[in-house]
């Protein structure tokens, strides 16, 4: 151990930070720490490891290091395809094996972020050439946000709290306002732990947008809640608009500055009557017929940096604001949604710029509103509890999204024996769709929902006829039986070879009238998933 390191072991945190001004953490050290994290299972042991990593960070690498140890990077997504990453893993090693400093890795990632297409690989290759196999794998896992160390942002926040002698709640609260925990850590290093009191919403500093949980149906919502509003769920681009006098900035869902892309929104924001505000909403593309444009068309507004003026005419957008987080010096996030909505409406006189909403009298009126929303080209509705605060970055039950259910025809690939009341019945179904060549079936999910007693009887009597093999839980069958499946969403899933999974899948009918060759394909599902679209932002 070097003298400097020995000195650190016996020092206080403040002294360590002083000493660390001179030191730099190497990428290989980070990988060693991640390895240590992977090897222990207790939360406290993991937190201790993270704290000792934080202690090693010099101020200049504090933000970078905190992001890395949480399995993230400051740059967000790099959008490199799997093929490119594979190429990187196989980069020929350079002669110099000097492990790069964290700051060097970060600089490479910055350059990669701004490069396009194949050039991204070229930017990263010299860095990767200096890494060992395990370091390469670790870098790739950060790039694809799949670091397997059993510790993510949650534990790092706890470690930061203990590092500064703060409560977990203090850090949680501060992280809602300063969602980049790397920046939060640096801020606390600079201001000291008492700086936590001054963290509030600030104009031109984006806050993570509040998110919604998925709800299966309005029936479920009415069963569980009473005081809520229902808004159109618009299919656009999330925008957080910050205004101070004539100055306006617009941030995306991932806190990217997208001001330049939406000059018309800047104009609209400038004309708003308040001096200072932060509004949350959706930028929606408006077609010639006045109806919303599909998201894929609108997405061109945020991906094409050139031709902004041309794109503005080709794909005009309109804001649909649905929340206000700050106005004239006041942080409104802890106020109730009913009050924020009132303020929003008082401030925005053009009603076309505010999302449509209703306070439904009963289920029927909510259903009619949902049908109208979908008929207008929207995705569904958002249900918002009237007494809820705005919780930046949180996905919780204060906001619920309901998308209209889709249906697909799937084939049954296997069925698991049921438990409890369903013991003795073939119940949990493995579902498949056809691949793009229509020659192979790909699994896209499992469900035991929606099965009536009559269906369970039919399946238990008929499926064993197609049995290929079986284990103690599952009967695997030839793909012969077609079922109609309702679902709310298609999501990316590394679990299945197909790469996607159906969310809230439920069986609607057994389609004895359909052949397996007639069922839906993976392409149909990918269209619904719009995979990649929103991730760009
Ligand atoms: P999802 O992307 O399916 O998770 O749905 C959440 C997204 O819906 C938000 O990030 C917004 O971009 C969008 N959205 C559309 N309409 C609304 C609305 N009325 N309130 C909140 N979010 C909405």
């Amino acid at each position: 151990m070097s003298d400097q390191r020995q000195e650190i072991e016996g020092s206080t945190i403040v002294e360590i930070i002083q000493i660390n001004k001179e030191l730099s953490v190497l990428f290989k050290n980070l990988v060693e720490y991640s390895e240590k994290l992977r090897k222990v299972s207790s939360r406290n042991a993991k937190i201790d490891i993270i704290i000792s990593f934080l202690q090693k960070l010099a101020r200049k690498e504090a933000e970078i290091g905190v992001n890395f140890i949480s399995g993230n990077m400051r740059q967000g997504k790099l959008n490199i395809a799997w093929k490119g990453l594979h190429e990187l893993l196989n980069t020929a090693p350079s002669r110099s094996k000097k492990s790069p400093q964290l700051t060097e890795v970060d600089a490479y990632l910055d350059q990669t972020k701004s490069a396009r297409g194949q050039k991204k690989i070229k930017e990263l290759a010299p860095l990767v050439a200096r890494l060992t196999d395990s370091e390469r794998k670790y870098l790739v896992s950060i790039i694809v946000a799949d670091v397997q160390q059993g510790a993510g942002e949650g534990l790092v926040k706890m470690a930061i709290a203990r590092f500064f002698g703060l409560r977990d709640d203090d850090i949680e609260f501060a992280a809602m306002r300063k969602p980049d925990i790397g920046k939060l850590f640096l801020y606390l290093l600079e201001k000291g732990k008492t700086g936590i009191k001054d963290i509030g919403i600030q104009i031109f500093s984006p806050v993570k947008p509040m998110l919604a949980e998925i709800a299966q149906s309005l029936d479920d919502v009415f069963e569980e809640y009473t005081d809520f509003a229902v808004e159109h769920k618009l299919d656009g681009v999330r925008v957080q608009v910050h205004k101070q006098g004539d100055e306006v900035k617009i941030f995306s869902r991932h806190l990217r500055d997208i001001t330049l892309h939406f000059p018309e929104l800047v104009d609209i924001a400038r004309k708003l009557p308040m001096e200072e505000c932060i509004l949350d909403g959706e930028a929606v593309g408006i077609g010639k017929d006045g109806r919303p444009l599909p998201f894929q068309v609108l997405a061109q507004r945020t991906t094409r940096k050139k031709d902004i003026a041309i794109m503005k005419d080709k794909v005009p957008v309109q804001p649909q604001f649905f929340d206000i987080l700050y106005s004239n010096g006041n942080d409104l996030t802890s106020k109730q949604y009913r009050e924020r909505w009132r303020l929003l409406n008082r401030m925005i006189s053009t009603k076309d710029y505010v999302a449509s909403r209703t306070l439904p009298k009963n289920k029927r009126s909510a259903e009619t509103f949902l049908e109208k929303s979908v008929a207008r080209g929207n995705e569904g509705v958002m249900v918002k509890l009237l007494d809820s605060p705005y919780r930046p970055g949180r996905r919780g039950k204060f906001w619920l999204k309901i998308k209209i259910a889709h249906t697909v025809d799937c084939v049954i690939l296997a069925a698991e024996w049921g438990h409890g009341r369903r013991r003795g019945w073939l119940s949990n179904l493995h579902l498949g769709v056809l691949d793009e060549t229509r020659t192979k079936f790909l699994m896209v999910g499992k469900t035991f929902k929606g099965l009536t007693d009559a269906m369970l009887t039919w399946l238990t009597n008929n499926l064993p006829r197609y049995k290929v093999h079986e284990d103690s839980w599952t009967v695997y069958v030839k793909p012969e039986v077609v079922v109609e499946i309702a679902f709310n969403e298609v999501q990316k899933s590394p679990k299945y070879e197909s790469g996607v999974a159906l969310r809230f899948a439920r069986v609607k009918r057994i389609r004895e009238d359909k052949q397996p060759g007639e069922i839906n394909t993976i392409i149909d599902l990918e269209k619904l998933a719009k995979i990649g679209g929103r991730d760009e932002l």
Side-chain angles (χ1 to χ4, degrees):
M1 194 189 293
S2 73
D3 288 349
Q4 230 168 357
R5 291 275 181 226
Q6 263 174 3
E7 195 178 344
I8 283 177
E9 303 296 320
S11 309
T12 67
I13 285 173
V14 174
E15 285 162 353
I16 289 163
I17 293 162
Q18 292 305 320
I19 297 164
N20 274 344
K21 276 189 185 146
E22 308 303 324
L23 281 180
S24 282
V25 175
L26 303 177
F27 193 67
K28 74 171 187 202
N29 304 133
L30 169 73
V31 178
E32 285 156 10
Y33 271 92
S34 174
E35 193 60 19
K36 282 190 202 168
L37 283 172
R38 214 165 48 79
K39 286 198 182 130
V40 298
S41 50
S42 104
R43 265 155 81 96
N44 277 335
K46 284 182 191 281
I47 291 173
D48 285 343
I49 293 170
I50 300 169
I51 293 176
S52 62
F53 176 76
L54 298 180
Q55 289 171 347
K56 297 220 158 30
L57 292 172
R59 198 165 285 200
K60 63 173 192 266
E61 59 200 6
E63 187 185 337
I64 304 166
V66 168
N67 270 292
F68 280 156
I69 199 70
S70 327
N72 303 324
M73 55 187 184
R74 280 189 327 107
Q75 291 73 8
K77 293 200 167 136
L78 292 185
N79 296 320
I80 303 179
W82 264 110
K83 208 170 131 249
L85 293 172
H86 190 71
E87 230 175 86
L88 273 177
L89 285 172
N90 293 312
T91 308
S94 69
R95 256 197 269 144
S96 151
K97 278 271 170 61
K98 213 172 128 233
S99 183
Q101 298 174 359
L102 295 189
T103 44
E104 272 181 272
V105 177
D106 181 69
Y108 274 107
L109 291 172
D110 264 347
Q111 279 171 359
T112 311
K113 175 88 182 174
S114 46
R116 297 182 132 235
Q118 265 305 104
K119 289 215 179 100
K120 287 185 191 274
I121 309 292
K122 283 215 178 92
E123 291 291 349
L124 269 183
L127 168 71
V128 176
R130 285 166 59 190
L131 303 180
T132 62
D133 279 353
S134 59
E135 289 162 12
R136 289 172 183 209
K137 280 194 193 128
Y138 185 76
L139 180 70
V140 167
S141 68
I142 287 187
I143 293 175
V144 299
D146 189 26
V147 174
Q148 310 261 339
Q149 60 188 21
E153 264 197 36
L155 286 192
V156 176
K157 278 193 256 180
M158 288 181 183
I160 295 177
R162 291 197 201 163
F163 183 102
F164 288 104
L166 290 161
R167 292 178 315 141
D168 289 345
D169 276 358
D170 294 330
I171 291 289
E172 275 301 332
F173 193 73
M176 282 201 240
R177 308 293 159 76
K178 259 195 194 301
D180 182 327
I181 56 169
K183 286 205 167 70
L184 176 61
F185 180 69
L186 182 62
Y187 170 89
L188 289 170
L189 272 187
E190 281 167 356
K191 304 269 170 175
K193 69 187 260 192
T194 50
I196 196 111
K197 284 202 242 69
D198 304 323
I199 298 181
I201 281 204
Q202 278 162 22
I203 291 276
F204 303 133
S205 167
V207 269
K208 269 195 193 166
M210 181 160 168
L211 299 170
E213 285 242 317
I214 193 165
Q216 218 177 110
S217 64
L218 282 168
D219 285 342
D220 288 5
V221 171
F222 272 85
E223 237 167 63
E224 214 169 317
Y225 305 102
T226 43
D227 285 337
F228 54 84
V230 186
E231 294 176 8
H232 280 183
K233 182 171 189 318
L234 309 144
D235 192 11
V237 171
R238 186 83 177 254
V239 284
Q240 193 177 102
V241 177
H242 292 228
K243 165 198 158 90
Q244 187 172 51
D246 266 355
E247 202 179 334
V248 173
K249 275 192 187 209
I250 302 174
F251 298 96
S252 75
R253 175 179 174 142
H254 296 299
L255 314 185
R256 220 182 88 200
D257 186 337
I258 48 171
T259 315
L260 282 177
H261 292 270
F262 293 112
E264 64 270 65
L265 297 192
V266 174
D267 283 346
I268 290 171
R270 273 201 189 119
K271 291 186 192 125
L272 292 173
M274 52 283 209
E275 176 61 21
E276 277 189 333
C277 65
I278 301 177
L279 302 176
D280 190 5
E282 193 89 347
V284 180
I286 304 290
K288 289 208 173 73
D289 54 1
R291 287 169 60 84
L293 289 168
F295 175 75
Q296 287 85 340
V297 178
L298 173 66
Q300 300 171 42
R301 287 288 304 262
T302 51
T303 46
R304 309 230 327 216
K305 287 205 182 96
K306 285 186 203 151
D307 318 330
I308 285 177
I310 299 171
M311 291 311 293
K312 179 177 159 233
D313 293 335
K314 231 170 115 187
V315 186
V317 302
Q318 195 181 323
Q320 295 276 281
F321 294 116
F322 45 72
D323 220 315
I324 178 161
L325 317 191
Y326 180 91
S327 135
N328 298 337
N330 298 311
D331 180 347
L332 304 173
T333 51
S334 42
K335 297 245 181 281
Q336 296 192 351
Y337 157 69
R338 52 156 68 80
E339 195 176 330
R340 299 197 309 274
W341 181 266
R342 219 178 5 246
L343 279 168
L344 179 72
N345 277 266
R346 210 184 294 151
M347 300 203 173
I348 300 183
S349 50
T350 312
K351 290 304 159 221
D352 279 353
Y353 295 164
V354 179
S356 295
R357 95 160 189 172
T358 184
L359 294 170
K361 283 195 204 73
N362 49 40
K363 201 154 73 185
R364 186 69 219 118
S365 66
E367 275 161 4
T368 311
F369 189 79
L370 168 63
E371 281 153 23
K372 279 200 186 134
S373 177
V374 173
R376 204 155 149 73
N378 295 317
E379 288 190 301
V381 288
M382 281 281 186
V383 169
K384 296 186 178 174
L385 305 194
L386 293 177
D387 60 1
S388 58
Y390 189 97
R391 304 187 69 192
R394 291 296 183 91
R395 193 184 288 286
K397 296 211 182 286
F398 289 141
W399 286 10
L400 301 162
K401 57 184 171 188
I402 300 181
K403 295 188 184 174
I404 207 105
H406 305 280
T407 56
V408 270
D409 290 327
C410 293
V411 79
I412 299 176
L413 300 172
E416 293 170 21
W417 292 106
H419 305 279
R421 205 179 72 79
R422 289 194 175 175
R423 184 176 294 276
W425 300 102
L426 276 175
S427 159
N428 201 14
L429 306 180
H430 298 199
L431 305 166
V433 294
L434 280 166
D435 74 346
E436 58 266 44
T437 60
R438 305 190 80 92
T439 52
K440 201 173 129 190
F441 294 99
L442 299 171
M443 189 158 165
V444 290
K446 293 185 192 180
T447 190
F448 51 81
K449 301 238 170 79
L451 289 167
T452 60
D453 286 351
M455 289 183 200
L456 286 167
T457 311
W458 191 96
L459 291 167
T460 309
N461 289 340
N462 289 283
L463 277 180
R465 274 202 276 149
Y466 305 110
K467 183 168 91 182
V468 182
H469 64 105
E470 121 178 76
D471 56 33
S472 45
W473 295 108
T474 314
V475 178
Y476 296 86
V477 293
K478 272 201 264 170
E480 292 288 345
V481 178
V482 176
V483 275
E484 186 179 330
I485 300 291
F487 64 95
N488 290 51
E489 217 169 44
V490 182
Q491 63 176 185
K492 265 187 183 175
S493 168
K495 217 159 84 189
Y496 302 122
E497 187 197 338
S498 64
V500 299
L502 302 179
R503 280 203 85 190
F504 290 120
R506 52 223 182 251
V507 182
K508 291 204 73 175
R509 295 192 276 167
I510 298 171
R511 298 292 304 250
E512 287 180 79
D513 55 326
K514 278 216 168 173
Q515 297 298 319
E518 294 175 77
I519 67 169
N520 286 91
T521 67
I522 191 73
I523 308 279
D524 301 330
L525 292 185
E526 279 168 357
K527 271 188 210 148
L528 284 168
K530 291 183 213 145
I531 287 169
R534 271 160 218 278
D535 287 354
E536 296 301 313
L537 309 173

